[in-house]
Every structure is written in C-alpha cells, then in structure tokens.
Amino acid sequence: MLRHIVEAAVVLVDAEYGALGVIGDDRMLSEFHTVGIGDE
C-alpha cells in the first residue's frame, strides 16, 4: 500500500522518482519504499 502512495505522489507532481521512509517503534528507519530509482 505504501508503494502505491509513492507511485501516486510521483504521478501527481510529475516527478522522475520518489521515496518514502517509515520510522519504526525504535525510532529507526524500518522501511524504505522507492519508485523510479534503481536498486543501487
């Protein structure tokens, strides 16, 4: 679901790529979703 939000945001603002980070209970990055960016 979060990836779909990033995809929609990229389309909405006509961006080349987008990313969304999720902070966990330990206040550390627990998830990172990207669109339009390679794995490297």
Side-chain angles (χ1 to χ4, degrees):
M1 182 57 134
L2 293 176
R3 180 172 175 82
H4 293 294
I5 293 170
V6 178
E7 290 171 351
V10 166
V11 170
L12 181 67
V13 299
D14 195 28
E16 193 171 328
Y17 56 86
L20 174 69
V22 178
I23 304 298
D25 292 334
D26 59 357
R27 303 189 77 129
M28 300 293 288
L29 187 64
S30 64
E31 296 178 51
F32 193 66
H33 302 274
T34 62
V35 171
I37 302 173
D39 290 337
E40 64 280 345

